[in-house]
Amino acid sequence: MLILFTFSTIQAQWVEVAVNENIIKLNEIAILEDGIGYIALGGALNGVPDGGVLKTSDYGNTWQQLPCPATEYGISMVTASFRDEQTGFVGGSPEMNMRTRDGGEIWDFDTFDTPESIRRVRWVNDSTIVVVDKKGRLFFSSDLGDTWTLDMRLNTVLLSVHDRASCMTFEIIDEYNWVAAGKKGAIIKTSNGGQSWSVIPHSAGTPVFQDIGALDAENWIVVGTSGTAIITHDGGQSFIDLNLDPGHTAKFQAASYYDADHAMIGGITVPSTGVGVLKSTSDGGLTWIDVDFAGNQYYGFSIRDIMRYEIYLAVAI
């Protein structure tokens, strides 16, 4: 398993950083200031699940695996979100949403009344956290996870798209504008902080959307299977097909903005058997280039997340 790190440009000079070879998947990064970052670990080897959390304090040069309940019980973690260096949540399995209040020294965890895995954990503001499961059930807490309230409004609209639609990714752009996307080509948006949701039409078909990269309420990228990568500059009223994979074989799993000009998309050229792929733009998405990095050489390797500390300082997993 690899972490890719750059000091200089987003097109070159990526450095491969080795971590514990027994780790199966690095799933999502939570990046903070001053070089702090956390990664949710998960997956299964020979049918045996495993999970945990990695932490860096030096901009990704070195990583430490933290003792936590997910590692102790073999629970796969998918998502990580931190309010600050001390306080954050890491979730994955339906029976485990972990919390730390001291930078990962001590963890406790909650369970939720859902058979589905947790897909995303996100902060609405400094006091409110939301946990999203695969069927779009939202669990809110306004007391740092001491108590939780279930909200089914996203789930109801998601199932109106298709009874097998799912929520694979969820982003809170600001306190009022949130976007969810997933299976059956579903893209769903709220502009009032989850009070109501609406299905966003597009012409990309029915891919399984994997990630949303949002700059602001107007500008976001949605990526997924079948080489799908679409961009909006008007809050989802219209989309442009980026046409990054004319053969429609790639699985794009990560999209990340730095500013209005710079963004990156990552994934794998062919699911399970292809090699890693990274694409970048420096003109707001008008043109894209292929990024040369070590993952281009590893079969079965996929970029699952990309985060930037600065414009030329990034971590990709």
Side-chain angles (χ1 to χ4, degrees), residues 62-209:
T62 59
W63 295 83
Q64 172 193 7
Q65 188 166 356
L66 303 177
C68 66
T71 301
E72 180 181 355
Y73 295 110
I75 304 297
S76 180
M77 296 288 102
V78 174
T79 180
S81 187
F82 278 70
R83 183 187 66 180
D84 51 47
E85 180 183 347
Q86 300 298 317
T87 308
F89 291 80
V90 180
S93 167
E95 65 263 26
M96 187 169 286
N97 178 51
M98 301 191 303
R99 173 182 64 177
T100 182
R101 299 183 186 187
D102 58 7
E105 294 292 327
I106 298 173
W107 297 84
D108 56 21
F109 64 91
D110 292 301
T111 60
F112 296 106
D113 184 17
T114 171
E116 304 292 341
S117 63
I118 294 168
R119 292 301 307 173
R120 291 292 185 267
V121 181
R122 293 292 185 262
W123 291 90
V124 179
N125 51 46
D126 285 345
S127 61
T128 303
I129 187 83
V130 59
V131 173
V132 187
D133 81 358
K134 194 173 180 179
K135 283 298 183 181
R137 299 177 183 92
L138 305 181
F139 299 87
F140 288 93
S141 176
S142 297
D143 53 16
L144 298 183
D146 288 337
T147 59
W148 297 88
T149 302
L150 172 62
D151 188 311
M152 296 290 288
R153 281 173 284 194
L154 172 58
N155 169 265
T156 299
V157 178
L158 183 67
L159 294 180
S160 74
V161 175
H162 193 282
D163 60 5
R164 295 180 60 191
S166 66
C167 180
M168 301 298 290
T169 182
F170 179 93
E171 286 302 329
I172 292 183
I173 301 169
D174 57 40
E175 196 161 350
Y176 300 102
N177 292 281
W178 312 346
V179 183
K183 196 174 180 180
K184 296 297 180 181
I187 302 178
I188 300 173
K189 173 186 173 183
T190 178
S191 298
N192 54 19
Q195 295 301 307
S196 61
W197 294 85
S198 57
V199 177
I200 304 300
H202 59 82
S203 59
T206 57
V208 181
F209 287 118

Side-chain angles (χ1 to χ4, degrees), residues 2 58 60 76 99 185 194 196 208 221 224 227 236 241 254 256 263 300 309 312 314:
L2 309 172
D58 57 9
S76 180
R99 173 182 64 177
S196 61
V208 181
I221 300 168
D241 184 352
S256 178
Y309 288 100
Y312 297 134

Side-chain angles (χ1 to χ4, degrees), residues 19-40:
V19 295
N20 187 337
E21 64 180 10
N22 295 318
I23 294 173
I24 301 168
K25 289 182 181 179
L26 312 180
N27 285 320
E28 188 175 50
I29 316 168
I31 290 294
L32 302 166
E33 296 179 354
D34 300 324
I36 304 296
Y38 295 86
I39 293 177

